[in-house]
Amino acid sequence: TKVSYNIEYNSHDHTLFIPLIVLSPKSSAMHRLSLSALVLPIYWLPVAVAEFNFEIGLRVHERLTEFMSTPPNLLDFVSNYRSNLALKSDRDSFLLLGDALLKSHPHWMIYYGLEDGELAGNFYSPRHGNYREPGDGGYIVDDGVQNKHYTTCVNETGDAKPCQMNTGDEYVECVDGCSLQRCEDEDSQRDCSVLGDEEKASCQANIKWCKSYEIKKVEDDVPRGFIPLSYYCLDSRGLPTQEPGTVLEFLGGDLGNCYYDDKVTLVDRKLSGEYEYCAGEDLTKQCPSQLEEEDTLNCNTTFAGAFRTSNYDPRYRPWYLLTRKLQRPNWTPPFVFWDADAMGITYVEPIYTTGEGKSVFHGVLAIDYKFSDIASFLSNTYQESENIVAIVEASAPNYMLTSSTGGTGTKRVMASDTTQPCPSNTD
């Protein structure tokens, strides 16, 4: 017996649409379904049409509503916390906050990305932190202040390697000194001058302003460097550490050591330099430093506990580009996560600063859901049930996202493997 629902939600104009299937009794045929390309627009108040057994679908809907409402609630809290000036784009402050939230609401990752390229965030399991210093990659090696980042990359055994870009890598380049222009969303592009005084004031208040820059690709033979995204071991509070016996990789686990990706070499990084992290709040407590020049700080703890580096700038990732374009909270379409063999969806909210009387787009708050997270929720919730619950993509061919049998419906295959059919528009 199959029970089909279209579950629709709506909250604060961000949307998520979930086609839902309930099968009863349990059938092994569910395991033969697979997922390739996904389009998952998402919403919040129930609009359910059932072929059979409405009560089952209603109960499933209620549980999924509760589960999927967590990211908006968490990011609303973070946004309000930030608006009270308790969070000032400071790495350690955000890592402490994010770790506390993930302990109560375990998800894969919570993080922010800013218009200056800064990123910080927490992974839940295994626990580790992310941080990227603000600034633009694509700098010419040995030509400029950004070269302080060129020697901060490491390989899997901890040996230093240059942070050098390859042909085709993307980077951000300012246009007209990154001057402000109206953002791309409909409200910001509206012509307020043709309106009456009252409507005009409301129209102007809704205008958002964005920095002018473009995303370029490395094309020439001139060596260019990037600012790395670093991955950090965390202590029990959620702060970066490399001190032996202080690393907590899994909640409830034992304290251990910080290793590079070879799982043998201990991390012991004391790279000194004039990094933005050095100027953070609580400097005297968190970053032993000395004043070398007027208003210039030098410290050796920016990369302490950083066991991995990669070339990553939030400003050219799908979740950031979409939010910058829409200028409103949203769920992204499904995509492959950057540093995991997994697909998922991301809930994102824009954040703003005020300058010269303008609402200026400052960056994005985000929280990730892997499909395996949703699979675990369904499996744990319905493992004792006589029914199977499956979530499928909204558009044809309606591949399965995940089910209460525990499968995610996704796997990575070689593009050349003809025994694993994928849609023609999928790489």
Side-chain angles (χ1 to χ4, degrees), residues 7-56:
I7 295 182
E8 187 175 313
Y9 304 99
N10 184 10
S11 176
H12 304 305
D13 295 326
H14 38 81
T15 61
L16 173 65
F17 175 74
I18 304 179
L20 173 70
I21 295 177
V22 181
L23 295 182
S24 178
K26 290 184 176 179
S27 168
S28 60
M30 289 295 295
H31 296 285
R32 295 200 295 267
L33 296 175
S34 63
L35 170 71
S36 295
L38 298 172
V39 177
L40 192 68
I42 290 183
Y43 297 58
W44 274 187
L45 291 174
V47 179
V49 180
E51 297 176 3
F52 179 72
N53 203 334
F54 175 79
E55 291 299 324
I56 292 178

Side-chain angles (χ1 to χ4, degrees), residues 4 93 96 99 240 246 274 277 418:
S4 295
S93 295
L96 285 169
D99 188 72
T246 65
E274 298 170 1
Y277 171 71
T418 58

Side-chain angles (χ1 to χ4, degrees), residues 77-152:
F77 172 82
V78 175
S79 182
N80 291 333
Y81 185 78
R82 176 185 173 276
S83 67
N84 290 335
L85 300 180
L87 179 63
K88 298 183 179 180
S89 303
D90 176 72
R91 184 195 78 179
D92 289 353
S93 295
F94 187 86
L95 292 180
L96 285 169
L97 174 63
D99 188 72
L101 292 174
L102 291 183
K103 285 176 180 176
S104 300
H105 304 277
H107 297 289
W108 190 53
M109 187 178 183
I110 182 170
Y111 52 101
Y112 68 77
L114 303 182
E115 282 283 82
D116 61 6
E118 181 179 343
L119 181 146
N122 308 67
F123 282 87
Y124 172 70
S125 183
R127 295 173 74 250
H128 66 258
N130 274 157
Y131 175 64
R132 181 191 186 275
E133 284 267 301
D136 298 334
Y139 54 86
I140 298 175
V141 177
D142 296 328
D143 183 23
V145 67
Q146 299 292 36
N147 273 277
K148 64 187 177 186
H149 298 288
Y150 190 66
T151 58
T152 60

Side-chain angles (χ1 to χ4, degrees), residues 209-228:
W209 296 85
C210 291
K211 290 183 178 180
S212 302
Y213 59 75
E214 57 185 9
I215 299 172
K216 306 185 73 173
K217 291 187 177 182
V218 176
E219 297 179 347
D220 50 43
D221 295 329
V222 178
R224 293 181 180 271
F226 62 85
I227 299 175

Side-chain angles (χ1 to χ4, degrees), residues 225-278:
F226 62 85
I227 299 175
L229 175 69
S230 296
Y231 298 70
Y232 293 82
C233 298
L234 300 179
D235 63 18
S236 58
R237 299 172 299 165
L239 290 177
T241 182
Q242 60 187 21
E243 183 179 348
T246 65
V247 175
L248 185 62
E249 189 173 7
F250 295 96
L251 291 178
D254 297 327
L255 294 175
N257 302 326
C258 185
Y259 296 98
Y260 290 105
D261 280 335
D262 64 357
K263 305 302 181 184
V264 174
T265 309
L266 286 171
V267 175
D268 184 20
R269 302 189 67 185
K270 298 176 181 178
L271 186 64
S272 181
E274 298 170 1
Y275 299 105
E276 292 296 321
Y277 171 71
C278 302

Side-chain angles (χ1 to χ4, degrees), residues 169-411:
D169 285 350
E170 294 177 307
Y171 63 95
V172 170
E173 185 174 278
C174 278
V175 175
D176 296 329
C178 280
S179 59
L180 295 179
Q181 63 178 3
R182 292 192 183 206
C183 297
E184 296 180 46
D185 63 292
E186 184 177 346
D187 285 342
S188 298
Q189 290 295 315
R190 191 178 180 188
D191 183 3
C192 303
S193 63
V194 299
L195 303 174
D197 291 343
E198 186 173 338
E199 287 183 292
K200 183 177 181 179
S202 175
C203 176
Q204 291 176 334
N206 289 326
I207 295 174
K208 309 295 190 298
W209 296 85
C210 291
K211 290 183 178 180
S212 302
Y213 59 75
E214 57 185 9
I215 299 172
K216 306 185 73 173
K217 291 187 177 182
V218 176
E219 297 179 347
D220 50 43
D221 295 329
V222 178
R224 293 181 180 271
F226 62 85
I227 299 175
L229 175 69
S230 296
Y231 298 70
Y232 293 82
C233 298
L234 300 179
D235 63 18
S236 58
R237 299 172 299 165
L239 290 177
T241 182
Q242 60 187 21
E243 183 179 348
T246 65
V247 175
L248 185 62
E249 189 173 7
F250 295 96
L251 291 178
D254 297 327
L255 294 175
N257 302 326
C258 185
Y259 296 98
Y260 290 105
D261 280 335
D262 64 357
K263 305 302 181 184
V264 174
T265 309
L266 286 171
V267 175
D268 184 20
R269 302 189 67 185
K270 298 176 181 178
L271 186 64
S272 181
E274 298 170 1
Y275 299 105
E276 292 296 321
Y277 171 71
C278 302
E281 290 184 330
D282 298 325
L283 179 64
T284 57
K285 298 179 181 179
Q286 299 178 11
C287 186
S289 59
Q290 58 186 10
L291 193 63
E292 296 199 338
E293 297 177 11
E294 184 178 358
D295 298 328
T296 301
L297 292 169
N298 183 297
C299 68
N300 65 358
T301 54
T302 303
F303 301 97
F307 62 88
R308 183 190 306 154
T309 54
S310 63
N311 181 9
Y312 184 99
D313 187 321
R315 293 170 292 181
Y316 54 69
R317 292 299 295 164
W319 53 272
Y320 195 96
L321 291 171
L322 180 63
T323 308
R324 193 175 194 266
K325 180 178 181 179
L326 297 178
Q327 292 297 315
R328 59 175 171 79
N330 66 93
W331 287 89
T332 69
F335 64 100
V336 178
F337 290 144
W338 174 263
D339 52 2
D341 188 14
M343 292 185 70
I345 52 178
T346 299
Y347 177 76
V348 283
E349 288 189 4
I351 53 179
Y352 302 93
T353 57
T354 302
E356 301 178 1
K358 298 178 179 178
S359 181
V360 180
F361 174 66
H362 186 52
V364 172
L365 293 171
I367 188 166
D368 289 342
Y369 264 2
K370 290 191 296 184
F371 289 144
S372 58
D373 293 334
I374 303 175
S376 296
F377 167 77
L378 292 177
S379 179
N380 293 334
T381 305
Y382 299 102
Q383 60 183 345
E384 303 299 329
S385 173
E386 295 181 355
N387 304 299
I388 288 177
V389 178
I391 297 177
V392 300
E393 63 174 327
S395 58
N398 307 115
Y399 285 115
M400 185 182 71
L401 298 179
T402 185
S403 78
S404 56
T405 62
T408 63
T410 65
K411 62 181 177 180

Side-chain angles (χ1 to χ4, degrees), residues 49-80:
V49 180
E51 297 176 3
F52 179 72
N53 203 334
F54 175 79
E55 291 299 324
I56 292 178
L58 183 60
R59 289 194 296 270
V60 172
H61 165 259
E62 290 172 348
R63 296 303 300 273
L64 279 173
T65 297
E66 179 182 0
F67 182 69
M68 298 304 295
S69 66
T70 301
N73 292 339
L74 286 181
L75 291 196
D76 283 347
F77 172 82
V78 175
S79 182
N80 291 333

